[in-house]
Amino acid sequence: MKVTAHGNNLFQLTYLGCINMYLVREEDGFTLIDTALESCAEPIIQAAQQFGLPIVCIVLTHAHDDHAGALDKLHELLPEAEVAISARDARFLSGDMSLDADEPEDKLRGGWHIHKTRPSRLLHEGDHIGSLEVIASPGHTPGHASFLDTRDRTLIAGDAFQTLGGVAVSGTFVPLFPLPAFSTWHKPSCLESARKLRTLEPSRLAVGHGRILEQPLAAMDRAIKQAASSLGQSEQRATSLAH
Ligand SMILES: [Zn+2]
């Protein structure tokens, strides 16, 4: 597991060069964002220990296997830690794969498992977990959530964007790393969420797959433009719809 520091409070943990987790430093310990695969549970705990802080909260951006895989094992090893995920994606953790009547009828893709662990906290748009603000960013999954560190505007965007193989909005086919695109639920929602995340003007973009980008706005703009054109939308049209 490779561990790198970014700014004062963010550590990126990378497994097999392609799956990221994050430790966000708070005064009372770390918030872990995403858990990768089951075999990552112990290395994640060791990574936190090397900085001398406990993991007090486990947060998932979404319920896919490569983000929730070590959840049960971590919950066993850290029974006191809070477990948080969006109320919407929490249903997938318990095996409920239904879509709601007001959600686009698209196929749920990607790897899913039923987990024993029940979240201790269900998240909604605008909630706060320590310094992190919850930003609903549906599209990759119906309940995908991103997290903005309000101290320095670091955006932890899960699979709403990827940077591995090129910066892209979820759902855009990236030949060098197509996994996020293959596991994406509804591309128009991904594009809408990407635009919403861009308006937050993050100073740093941290994603589930790929390296961290500093000052990411120009790269986000290019990725949004590309996603829009592949969906047959122009940015001008999107702007006029927004007004
Ligand atoms: Zn995913």
Side-chain angles (χ1 to χ4, degrees):
M1 182 101 52
K2 189 177 157 202
V3 183
T4 53
H6 303 264
N8 293 330
N9 303 306
L10 184 72
F11 298 90
Q12 184 188 51
L13 279 50
T14 305
Y15 182 62
L16 296 176
C18 63
I19 304 177
N20 298 326
M21 300 132 272
Y22 293 94
L23 289 169
V24 177
R25 181 160 41 200
E26 300 280 2
E27 274 172 20
D28 59 342
F30 281 121
T31 297
L32 170 70
I33 300 186
D34 287 337
T35 69
L37 308 176
E38 193 178 2
S39 60
C40 295
E42 273 148 7
I44 289 170
I45 292 173
Q46 284 158 12
Q49 277 167 350
Q50 90 185 56
F51 300 108
L53 282 177
I55 293 172
V56 293
C57 186
I58 300 165
V59 182
L60 300 177
T61 58
H62 62 295
H64 276 152
D65 280 346
D66 56 332
H67 297 257
L71 177 63
D72 283 346
K73 189 86 183 285
L74 280 168
H75 183 55
E76 248 174 70
L77 297 169
L78 304 168
E80 303 297 317
E82 180 151 65
V83 174
I85 183 170
S86 75
R88 179 65 190 90
D89 261 33
R91 283 168 33 195
F92 300 128
L93 291 181
S94 60
D96 171 4
M97 302 305 289
S98 63
L99 288 172
D100 289 337
D102 60 351
E103 287 172 339
E105 266 187 62
D106 215 331
K107 188 174 178 297
L108 289 166
R109 298 175 180 85
W112 311 85
H113 259 90
I114 296 176
H115 298 262
K116 286 188 304 217
T117 307
R118 293 288 162 264
S120 51
R121 186 168 170 199
L122 298 178
L123 302 174
H124 298 92
E125 169 89 357
D127 287 352
H128 288 263
I129 308 166
S131 306
L132 302 174
E133 183 180 342
V134 178
I135 316 288
S137 44
H140 182 68
T141 63
H144 187 285
S146 302
F147 301 92
L148 182 72
D149 191 325
T150 52
R151 294 169 294 191
D152 62 1
R153 303 199 77 72
T154 292
L155 179 67
I156 299 163
D159 286 356
F161 283 88
Q162 71 179 77
T163 64
L164 191 58
V167 181
V169 172
S170 183
T172 303
F173 180 73
V174 177
L176 289 173
F177 193 70
L179 186 75
F182 289 150
S183 52
T184 289
W185 167 58
H186 187 247
K187 291 181 192 179
S189 303
C190 292
L191 177 58
E192 204 175 306
S193 290
R195 288 184 177 127
K196 175 182 174 185
L197 295 174
R198 166 62 176 84
T199 64
L200 301 173
E201 305 205 335
S203 64
R204 176 182 291 128
L205 179 66
V207 296
H209 306 285
R211 68 188 177 89
I212 286 177
L213 296 185
E214 301 289 340
Q215 306 306 331
L217 301 185
M220 291 170 85
D221 283 340
R222 283 192 296 273
I224 288 168
K225 203 170 167 191
Q226 190 192 359
S229 79
S230 74
L231 285 172
Q233 290 184 22
S234 76
E235 278 307 278
Q236 209 173 8
R237 174 171 168 269
T239 312
S240 67
L241 282 176
H243 289 287

